[in-house]
């Protein structure tokens, strides 16, 4: 949530006549993912999203509005107002600070640079975890353990090891297969998004053979456009944009994938 969370049928949407029902959003999501996600879990998330926006506003979080992520989507992306009037990557830091403050008020302790080593199980149920840093080791018992995924999409080694997934599999979780959403990510300095200048403006997408390989109108939807890039080329040919020859030299290096898997875990003491 570098810029803001999802919200469906929120007050912010209604104020701007961007209403969409939970039922409609659920139908869109299930069709978009080809029914390969947990429909009950998604439905619950959608139903509670509007009250979550209200809850965040109650803690002082302000939103710039509800926006569309790409042209075919609905305005469900509630972008946090960073306070300086500049909306962009990382602007949700104000929300994260509010959440951190509230958690600390409730007695939550944060252990940084303390990776989880494994999950504890008893009679087929996860009952806690084992974690450690360079100076200490921890055995945590809890009624619930949440695997908070995401965050190392550019780290090839961590993607290969699948540390978070492996711990769950070792604990007995089902191997369901890859259902992650791949997108392209280009280097940026959080001030200017390279992708906006190259991949999200009118241009002609061709490979190094000069062949056009996709409908450029779909570039804003990274889920649709990313697979077209490697599929369009042979092993020695990388996709490029006619926007600039300089971009051609770095396309293979910078066109990366973002996965929704990670090793960050949180123990909830209930």
């Amino acid at each position: 949530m570098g810029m803001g969370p999802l919200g469906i049928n929120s007050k912010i949407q209604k104020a701007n006549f961007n209403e969409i029902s939970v039922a409609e959003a659920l139908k869109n999501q299930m069709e978009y993912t080809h029914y390969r996600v947990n429909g009950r879990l998604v439905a619950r998330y959608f139903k509670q999203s509007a009250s979550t926006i209200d809850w965040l506003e109650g803690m002082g979080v302000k939103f710039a509005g509800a926006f569309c992520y790409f042209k075919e989507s609905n305005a469900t992306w509630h972008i946090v107002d960073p306070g300086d009037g500049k909306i962009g990557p990382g602007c949700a830091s104000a929300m994260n600070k509010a959440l951190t403050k509230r958690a600390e008020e409730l007695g939550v302790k944060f252990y940084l640079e303390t990776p989880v080593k494994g999950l504890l199980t008893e009679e087929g149920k996860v009952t806690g975890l084992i974690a450690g840093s360079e100076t200490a080791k921890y055995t945590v018992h809890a009624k619930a353990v949440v695997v908070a995924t995401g965050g190392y999409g550019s780290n090839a080694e961590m993607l290969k090891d699948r540390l978070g997934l492996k711990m769950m599999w070792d604990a007995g979780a089902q191997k369901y297969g890859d259902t992650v959403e791949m997108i392209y990510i280009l280097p940026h300095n959080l001030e200017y998004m390279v992708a906006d200048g190259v991949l999200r403006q009118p241009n002609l997408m061709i490979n190094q053979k000069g062949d056009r390989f996709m409908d450029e109108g779909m570039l804003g939807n990274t889920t649709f456009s990313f697979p077209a890039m490697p599929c369009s080329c042979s092993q020695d040919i990388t996709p490029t944009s006619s926007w600039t020859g300089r971009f051609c030299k770095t396309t293979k290096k910078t066109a990366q994938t973002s996965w929704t898997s990670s090793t960050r875990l949180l123990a909830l003491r209930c």
Side-chain angles (χ1 to χ4, degrees), residues 14-141:
K14 293 178 180 179
N16 289 279
F17 303 100
N18 291 323
E19 295 186 46
I20 176 175
S21 68
V22 170
E24 181 183 358
L26 181 61
K27 179 177 181 296
N28 293 342
Q29 178 68 12
M30 297 307 293
E31 292 178 350
Y32 185 81
T33 57
H34 300 283
Y35 293 86
R36 297 187 66 193
V37 296
N38 188 322
R40 292 184 178 180
L41 183 62
V42 174
R44 184 175 181 181
Y45 173 45
F46 283 4
K47 289 177 181 177
Q48 295 181 347
S49 61
S51 60
T52 299
I53 299 297
D54 294 338
W55 174 69
L56 289 169
E57 288 184 314
M59 287 192 291
V61 178
K62 297 181 179 180
F63 293 93
F67 300 86
C68 297
Y69 184 65
F70 49 86
K71 67 178 183 179
E72 297 88 0
S73 64
N74 296 101
T76 59
W77 189 15
H78 288 60
I79 297 181
V80 177
D81 186 345
D84 58 4
K86 185 177 181 180
I87 296 177
C91 66
S93 60
M95 178 184 69
N96 294 333
K97 290 177 181 178
L99 289 170
T100 301
K101 180 181 178 181
R102 179 57 177 158
E104 291 175 339
E105 291 174 350
L106 295 173
V108 175
K109 294 183 180 181
F110 295 92
Y111 293 82
L112 304 179
E113 299 183 4
T114 309
V116 174
K117 306 297 184 180
L119 300 176
L120 299 175
T121 60
E122 184 176 339
E123 297 181 356
K125 296 182 179 180
V126 175
T127 58
L129 57 85
I130 299 174
S133 64
E134 294 182 356
T135 59
K137 293 183 179 180
Y138 303 95
T139 298
V140 181
H141 297 280

